[in-house]
Amino acid sequence: MNGAQILGIFLVILVVVVICSSIRVVPHAHAYVIERLGTYNTTWSAGLHLKTPLIDKVAHRISMKEQVVDFAPQPVITKDNVTMRIDTVVFFQITDPKLFAYGVEKPIMAIENLTATTLRNIIGELELDQTLTSRETINTKMRATLDEATDPWGIKVNRVELKNIIPPAAIQDAMEKQMKAERERREQILIAEGEKKSAILRAEGQKESLILSAEAEKQSAILRAEATKEATIRRAEGEAEAILKVQQANADGIKFLNEAAPDQAVLTLKSLEAFAKAADGKATKLIIPSEISGIAGLASSLTEIVTKNSES
């Protein structure tokens, strides 16, 4: 093998190596920034690309995925001069690889510093209580400010979250005491409300009991009155019926006597029976009618007749 052949083989190998080194495959969700002779040339997206040997070079390999950066706690001062420490988490995504590569030196550091200054500006307008209860408001304001500031850098800020708010130890102790006092106050309120409801329920129960007792007494009185009324009516009806029957019997007796047409002797005899009944009573005075002497004479005559008949 002569020198020409060796040179030819060497040139072929060199060409193959150059061609292979010029072929680039860009992974998915990535972008390559290509420079030609030290200046920006183009941006490669995902796929197969071929660069010019010895002239083009891959200057920046950039991930297009959403990225999360957790920044260290930053000291901030509230409107009422309370110093606290707050750490933030920023979610961002690169939208323009060229602006990201040439827009700002050290973009992550720039975002961190911008986050710290924005956070101090926002917290400086809020008091301690507002800072502790306004996380969502602070997150929204910071996201809007950072997104606007990082737009020239080809960065889109999607979310900003306050991870921790760390007040001073003295403030934490005061807050814990305040929370404890608030819990005790709520406990006392709940106990008082429970006792109040219990007293109301007992009073309502007693009221219902008294009402039911009064209703029962009323119904009992009504029933007793109706029973007394019914008994009185029945007694009156019985007495009236008895009187009616007595009167009817007297009337029937008189009618019977009238139909029998009794003579004077029978009438006189009946009068004597009535007189005997009257004399049998407990009355202390008797009024004897004038006809009694005639009746007595009649009785003597009857006695004599009976005696003579028995002697003969």
Side-chain angles (χ1 to χ4, degrees), residues 218-236:
K218 176 183 175 182
Q219 293 294 331
S220 178
I222 291 173
L223 291 175
R224 287 196 299 270
E226 289 180 352
T228 304
K229 173 183 175 183
E230 186 70 20
T232 304
I233 292 173
R234 294 295 178 85
R235 285 197 299 270

Side-chain angles (χ1 to χ4, degrees), residues 207-224:
K207 176 183 175 182
E208 291 292 333
S209 178
L210 292 174
I211 291 174
L212 292 175
S213 297
E215 288 290 336
E217 184 64 26
K218 176 183 175 182
Q219 293 294 331
S220 178
I222 291 173
L223 291 175
R224 287 196 299 270

